[in-house]
mmCIF file with all atom_site columns, all heavy atoms in Angstrom:
data_model
loop_
_atom_site.group_PDB
_atom_site.id
_atom_site.type_symbol
_atom_site.label_atom_id
_atom_site.label_alt_id
_atom_site.label_comp_id
_atom_site.label_asym_id
_atom_site.label_entity_id
_atom_site.label_seq_id
_atom_site.pdbx_PDB_ins_code
_atom_site.Cartn_x
_atom_site.Cartn_y
_atom_site.Cartn_z
_atom_site.occupancy
_atom_site.B_iso_or_equiv
_atom_site.pdbx_formal_charge
_atom_site.auth_seq_id
_atom_site.auth_comp_id
_atom_site.auth_asym_id
_atom_site.auth_atom_id
_atom_site.pdbx_PDB_model_num
ATOM 1  N N   . LEU A 1 278 ? -14.105 -3.861 -12.108 1.00 98.00 ? 349 LEU A N   1
ATOM 2  C CA  . LEU A 1 278 ? -12.949 -3.120 -11.604 1.00 98.00 ? 349 LEU A CA  1
ATOM 3  C C   . LEU A 1 278 ? -13.336 -1.707 -11.154 1.00 98.00 ? 349 LEU A C   1
ATOM 4  O O   . LEU A 1 278 ? -12.873 -1.190 -10.127 1.00 98.00 ? 349 LEU A O   1
ATOM 5  C CB  . LEU A 1 278 ? -11.877 -2.974 -12.742 1.00 98.00 ? 349 LEU A CB  1
ATOM 6  C CG  . LEU A 1 278 ? -11.209 -4.303 -13.129 1.00 98.00 ? 349 LEU A CG  1
ATOM 7  C CD1 . LEU A 1 278 ? -10.366 -4.073 -14.441 1.00 98.00 ? 349 LEU A CD1 1
ATOM 8  C CD2 . LEU A 1 278 ? -10.299 -4.767 -11.956 1.00 98.00 ? 349 LEU A CD2 1
ATOM 9  N N   . GLN A 1 279 ? -14.253 -1.110 -11.919 1.00 97.00 ? 350 GLN A N   1
ATOM 10 C CA  . GLN A 1 279 ? -14.751 0.192  -11.513 1.00 97.00 ? 350 GLN A CA  1
ATOM 11 C C   . GLN A 1 279 ? -15.500 0.185  -10.141 1.00 97.00 ? 350 GLN A C   1
ATOM 12 O O   . GLN A 1 279 ? -15.331 1.053  -9.319  1.00 97.00 ? 350 GLN A O   1
ATOM 13 C CB  . GLN A 1 279 ? -15.740 0.814  -12.579 1.00 97.00 ? 350 GLN A CB  1
ATOM 14 C CG  . GLN A 1 279 ? -15.061 1.367  -13.768 1.00 97.00 ? 350 GLN A CG  1
ATOM 15 C CD  . GLN A 1 279 ? -16.031 2.102  -14.678 1.00 97.00 ? 350 GLN A CD  1
ATOM 16 O OE1 . GLN A 1 279 ? -17.142 1.693  -14.972 1.00 97.00 ? 350 GLN A OE1 1
ATOM 17 N NE2 . GLN A 1 279 ? -15.614 3.279  -15.226 1.00 97.00 ? 350 GLN A NE2 1
ATOM 18 N N   . LYS A 1 280 ? -16.330 -0.853 -10.006 1.00 96.00 ? 351 LYS A N   1
ATOM 19 C CA  . LYS A 1 280 ? -17.023 -0.961 -8.734  1.00 96.00 ? 351 LYS A CA  1
ATOM 20 C C   . LYS A 1 280 ? -16.091 -1.139 -7.544  1.00 96.00 ? 351 LYS A C   1
ATOM 21 O O   . LYS A 1 280 ? -16.307 -0.548 -6.451  1.00 96.00 ? 351 LYS A O   1
ATOM 22 C CB  . LYS A 1 280 ? -17.972 -2.206 -8.820  1.00 96.00 ? 351 LYS A CB  1
ATOM 23 C CG  . LYS A 1 280 ? -18.851 -2.393 -7.603  1.00 96.00 ? 351 LYS A CG  1
ATOM 24 C CD  . LYS A 1 280 ? -19.725 -3.569 -7.768  1.00 96.00 ? 351 LYS A CD  1
ATOM 25 C CE  . LYS A 1 280 ? -20.692 -3.804 -6.552  1.00 96.00 ? 351 LYS A CE  1
ATOM 26 N NZ  . LYS A 1 280 ? -21.604 -5.005 -6.661  1.00 96.00 ? 351 LYS A NZ  1
ATOM 27 N N   . HIS A 1 281 ? -15.057 -1.949 -7.779  1.00 96.00 ? 352 HIS A N   1
ATOM 28 C CA  . HIS A 1 281 ? -14.034 -2.086 -6.667  1.00 96.00 ? 352 HIS A CA  1
ATOM 29 C C   . HIS A 1 281 ? -13.317 -0.797 -6.389  1.00 96.00 ? 352 HIS A C   1
ATOM 30 O O   . HIS A 1 281 ? -13.176 -0.363 -5.214  1.00 96.00 ? 352 HIS A O   1
ATOM 31 C CB  . HIS A 1 281 ? -13.065 -3.181 -7.054  1.00 96.00 ? 352 HIS A CB  1
ATOM 32 C CG  . HIS A 1 281 ? -11.964 -3.351 -6.060  1.00 96.00 ? 352 HIS A CG  1
ATOM 33 N ND1 . HIS A 1 281 ? -12.176 -3.752 -4.732  1.00 96.00 ? 352 HIS A ND1 1
ATOM 34 C CD2 . HIS A 1 281 ? -10.638 -3.061 -6.125  1.00 96.00 ? 352 HIS A CD2 1
ATOM 35 C CE1 . HIS A 1 281 ? -11.078 -3.772 -4.124  1.00 96.00 ? 352 HIS A CE1 1
ATOM 36 N NE2 . HIS A 1 281 ? -10.122 -3.350 -4.892  1.00 96.00 ? 352 HIS A NE2 1
ATOM 37 N N   . ALA A 1 282 ? -12.901 -0.123 -7.465  1.00 94.00 ? 353 ALA A N   1
ATOM 38 C CA  . ALA A 1 282 ? -12.266 1.219  -7.302  1.00 94.00 ? 353 ALA A CA  1
ATOM 39 C C   . ALA A 1 282 ? -13.137 2.206  -6.563  1.00 94.00 ? 353 ALA A C   1
ATOM 40 O O   . ALA A 1 282 ? -12.658 2.996  -5.703  1.00 94.00 ? 353 ALA A O   1
ATOM 41 C CB  . ALA A 1 282 ? -11.764 1.806  -8.569  1.00 94.00 ? 353 ALA A CB  1
ATOM 42 N N   . ASN A 1 283 ? -14.400 2.143  -6.845  1.00 92.00 ? 354 ASN A N   1
ATOM 43 C CA  . ASN A 1 283 ? -15.427 3.026  -6.209  1.00 92.00 ? 354 ASN A CA  1
ATOM 44 C C   . ASN A 1 283 ? -15.461 2.765  -4.743  1.00 92.00 ? 354 ASN A C   1
ATOM 45 O O   . ASN A 1 283 ? -15.502 3.704  -3.904  1.00 92.00 ? 354 ASN A O   1
ATOM 46 C CB  . ASN A 1 283 ? -16.794 2.915  -6.896  1.00 92.00 ? 354 ASN A CB  1
ATOM 47 C CG  . ASN A 1 283 ? -17.220 4.077  -7.606  1.00 92.00 ? 354 ASN A CG  1
ATOM 48 O OD1 . ASN A 1 283 ? -16.982 5.202  -7.146  1.00 92.00 ? 354 ASN A OD1 1
ATOM 49 N ND2 . ASN A 1 283 ? -17.833 3.867  -8.747  1.00 92.00 ? 354 ASN A ND2 1
ATOM 50 N N   . SER A 1 284 ? -15.443 1.523  -4.353  1.00 92.00 ? 355 SER A N   1
ATOM 51 C CA  . SER A 1 284 ? -15.527 1.125  -2.940  1.00 92.00 ? 355 SER A CA  1
ATOM 52 C C   . SER A 1 284 ? -14.270 1.575  -2.189  1.00 92.00 ? 355 SER A C   1
ATOM 53 O O   . SER A 1 284 ? -14.399 1.967  -1.036  1.00 92.00 ? 355 SER A O   1
ATOM 54 C CB  . SER A 1 284 ? -15.763 -0.398 -2.789  1.00 92.00 ? 355 SER A CB  1
ATOM 55 O OG  . SER A 1 284 ? -14.548 -1.067 -3.168  1.00 92.00 ? 355 SER A OG  1
ATOM 56 N N   . VAL A 1 285 ? -13.134 1.534  -2.854  1.00 90.00 ? 356 VAL A N   1
ATOM 57 C CA  . VAL A 1 285 ? -11.863 1.937  -2.193  1.00 90.00 ? 356 VAL A CA  1
ATOM 58 C C   . VAL A 1 285 ? -11.794 3.440  -2.066  1.00 90.00 ? 356 VAL A C   1
ATOM 59 O O   . VAL A 1 285 ? -11.376 3.969  -1.035  1.00 90.00 ? 356 VAL A O   1
ATOM 60 C CB  . VAL A 1 285 ? -10.632 1.414  -2.991  1.00 90.00 ? 356 VAL A CB  1
ATOM 61 C CG1 . VAL A 1 285 ? -9.369  1.979  -2.487  1.00 90.00 ? 356 VAL A CG1 1
ATOM 62 C CG2 . VAL A 1 285 ? -10.613 -0.162 -2.992  1.00 90.00 ? 356 VAL A CG2 1
ATOM 63 N N   . TYR A 1 286 ? -12.256 4.147  -3.083  1.00 89.00 ? 357 TYR A N   1
ATOM 64 C CA  . TYR A 1 286 ? -12.111 5.601  -3.135  1.00 89.00 ? 357 TYR A CA  1
ATOM 65 C C   . TYR A 1 286 ? -13.405 6.390  -2.827  1.00 89.00 ? 357 TYR A C   1
ATOM 66 O O   . TYR A 1 286 ? -13.542 7.513  -3.228  1.00 89.00 ? 357 TYR A O   1
ATOM 67 C CB  . TYR A 1 286 ? -11.590 6.050  -4.479  1.00 89.00 ? 357 TYR A CB  1
ATOM 68 C CG  . TYR A 1 286 ? -10.159 5.596  -4.716  1.00 89.00 ? 357 TYR A CG  1
ATOM 69 C CD1 . TYR A 1 286 ? -9.859  4.804  -5.894  1.00 89.00 ? 357 TYR A CD1 1
ATOM 70 C CD2 . TYR A 1 286 ? -9.122  5.899  -3.947  1.00 89.00 ? 357 TYR A CD2 1
ATOM 71 C CE1 . TYR A 1 286 ? -8.590  4.315  -6.176  1.00 89.00 ? 357 TYR A CE1 1
ATOM 72 C CE2 . TYR A 1 286 ? -7.797  5.470  -4.103  1.00 89.00 ? 357 TYR A CE2 1
ATOM 73 C CZ  . TYR A 1 286 ? -7.524  4.688  -5.212  1.00 89.00 ? 357 TYR A CZ  1
ATOM 74 O OH  . TYR A 1 286 ? -6.294  4.263  -5.488  1.00 89.00 ? 357 TYR A OH  1
ATOM 75 N N   . GLN A 1 287 ? -14.377 5.770  -2.164  1.00 85.00 ? 358 GLN A N   1
ATOM 76 C CA  . GLN A 1 287 ? -15.654 6.363  -1.960  1.00 85.00 ? 358 GLN A CA  1
ATOM 77 C C   . GLN A 1 287 ? -15.601 7.688  -1.175  1.00 85.00 ? 358 GLN A C   1
ATOM 78 O O   . GLN A 1 287 ? -16.379 8.525  -1.262  1.00 85.00 ? 358 GLN A O   1
ATOM 79 C CB  . GLN A 1 287 ? -16.649 5.370  -1.308  1.00 85.00 ? 358 GLN A CB  1
ATOM 80 C CG  . GLN A 1 287 ? -16.172 4.905  0.077   1.00 85.00 ? 358 GLN A CG  1
ATOM 81 C CD  . GLN A 1 287 ? -17.157 3.898  0.643   1.00 85.00 ? 358 GLN A CD  1
ATOM 82 O OE1 . GLN A 1 287 ? -18.319 3.847  0.260   1.00 85.00 ? 358 GLN A OE1 1
ATOM 83 N NE2 . GLN A 1 287 ? -16.710 3.022  1.569   1.00 85.00 ? 358 GLN A NE2 1
#
Side-chain angles (χ1 to χ4, degrees):
L349 290 170
Q350 281 191 317
K351 184 178 180 181
H352 175 65
N354 248 320
S355 68
V356 172
Y357 294 122
Q358 60 182 337

